[in-house]
Amino acid sequence: MNKIKNSRAASFIAVTLVYVLATAIGIVTYQAIDEAFDWWLSLLIADAAATVSTFIFSLIFKNASVYDPYWSVQPPVILAAYAFGKELNALGRLLLVAVFFWGIRLTANWAYTFGNLTHQDWRYTMLNEKTKGFYPIINFVGIHMVPTLVVYGCILPAVYAIREETELTVASAVFICLAVASATMQGIADIQMHRFRKNRTGRFIRCGLWKHSRHPNYLGEICMWWNIALAVVCADMSAWYLIAGAVANTVLFFAVSIPMADKRQSHKEGFAEYKRETRMLLPLKRFIKKG
């Protein structure tokens, strides 16, 4: 086990096999219960089953970061499963392209930053230290299941559109373009952060997109799923409730991800000035003053 965890190649292969198994478990579970429940509930149960299998391996490897790729792998796999064998219309094809572009880019970013299975996301380690005996529950619910439910909600509009063969509208096409732009912005922000960490010149990154926002990568992620949801809702107004996933995703970032990231940065000298000069997501006041 230690040999696997200490080797980047072996760790990468191990995580890949975990996700191959999780995908297989999800598909088998869905096929087994598909006729017993509505499609969205069958998908939810299958998604939860795949998450449980990933959680078990995070316990085996004693590393909750085994779950990290799930966020970007889950949506393309789900959408591809529903699209397989179907004659997709224009909206279905565009949604597939947008989600795959987002998923491949984000997974590639994870692969680029992945060291080996001895490294765990600092947030998980902090939660382990703070919650102690309650950490297994926090690990399963907070680290694994809640994000799974959020991303499940995010991909649901696209799945709905493919299943219902919803027709493309002009507004839908615009929002899909904005979704691709959001994923691109997120990618640019990640690249800029990688360069900063490689050639660190200060305590805080103050160039590129990061000059205007403390979390441009999070902004891209939030906008991505709002644009996917709105693309579907604009094509079928009766599906307005499908924005729930984008809402949940936004709440997750505002209530958990952003506060945790800012708290970690707050220990650095000069953070108060940096926070005052750089907006959390959008420099709205600056735009308003210019207007």
Side-chain angles (χ1 to χ4, degrees):
M1 182 66 71
N2 286 333
K3 287 184 179 179
I4 294 175
K5 293 180 68 173
N6 282 286
S7 166
R8 186 178 190 275
S11 294
F12 192 87
I13 292 171
V15 173
T16 301
L17 292 176
V18 167
Y19 280 83
V20 170
L21 178 60
T23 300
I25 289 173
I27 292 173
V28 170
T29 301
Y30 185 89
Q31 291 177 338
I33 64 175
D34 186 25
E35 295 183 2
F37 304 102
D38 289 338
W39 68 269
W40 61 270
L41 184 55
S42 296
L43 176 58
L44 178 60
I45 294 171
D47 202 0
T51 302
V52 169
S53 71
T54 307
F55 171 70
I56 291 171
F57 280 100
S58 78
L59 296 179
I60 292 172
F61 288 110
K62 298 180 180 179
N63 190 330
S65 280
V66 169
Y67 179 82
D68 286 352
Y70 201 97
W71 184 279
S72 58
V73 170
Q74 176 214 44
V77 168
I78 289 175
L79 209 57
Y82 276 97
F84 183 75
K86 288 180 69 73
E87 188 69 34
L88 297 180
N89 60 17
L91 179 57
R93 289 194 297 269
L94 289 175
L95 286 168
L96 199 65
V97 168
V99 171
F100 264 78
F101 174 73
W102 166 87
I104 291 171
R105 191 219 63 81
L106 196 55
T107 304
N109 185 67
W110 166 81
Y112 177 78
T113 59
F114 180 72
N116 56 45
L117 284 171
T118 62
H119 172 76
Q120 180 174 255
D121 189 293
W122 63 270
R123 292 168 293 187
Y124 309 157
T125 302
M126 181 191 71
L127 287 171
N128 191 4
E129 293 171 351
K130 285 188 173 183
T131 58
K132 300 186 183 300
F134 291 99
Y135 179 68
I137 298 174
I138 299 298
N139 185 11
F140 178 70
V141 177
I143 296 175
H144 286 75
M145 198 54 68
V146 169
T148 287
L149 295 176
V150 170
V151 185
Y152 162 83
C154 288
I155 196 60
L156 211 56
V159 176
Y160 171 88
I162 286 178
R163 278 184 55 88
E164 300 299 320
E165 299 182 343
T166 309
E167 294 295 331
L168 180 71
T169 65
V170 173
S172 298
V174 170
F175 278 116
I176 290 174
C177 289
L178 290 174
V180 173
S182 299
T184 302
M185 178 181 70
Q186 190 179 16
I188 292 171
D190 286 339
I191 291 171
Q192 290 173 345
M193 177 57 77
H194 296 325
R195 289 175 178 171
F196 170 75
R197 288 173 175 169
K198 186 177 181 180
N199 307 296
R200 194 177 291 272
T201 56
R203 292 185 177 87
F204 309 101
I205 179 171
R206 306 293 292 271
C207 59
L209 295 173
W210 301 84
K211 180 180 179 180
H212 308 287
S213 170
R214 299 199 303 277
H215 307 285
N217 51 342
Y218 291 167
L219 176 61
E221 184 71 12
I222 291 169
C223 291
M224 165 68 189
W225 295 114
W226 271 107
N227 286 316
I228 292 295
L230 291 173
V232 175
V233 172
C234 284
D236 182 355
M237 296 300 290
S238 68
W240 60 269
Y241 54 88
L242 291 174
I243 67 170
V247 172
N249 185 55
T250 304
V251 170
L252 181 66
F253 276 100
F254 273 89
V256 180
S257 300
I258 292 174
M260 288 182 73
D262 279 352
K263 185 175 181 180
R264 192 186 191 208
Q265 293 276 68
S266 66
H267 299 294
K268 297 179 181 180
E269 183 180 351
F271 177 76
E273 180 183 359
Y274 166 67
K275 185 177 181 180
R276 185 172 59 252
E277 295 177 351
T278 312
R279 296 295 169 186
M280 181 173 66
L281 291 178
L282 285 171
L284 293 178
K285 288 186 178 180
R286 188 177 304 170
F287 292 150
I288 292 171
K289 287 181 180 179
K290 287 184 177 180

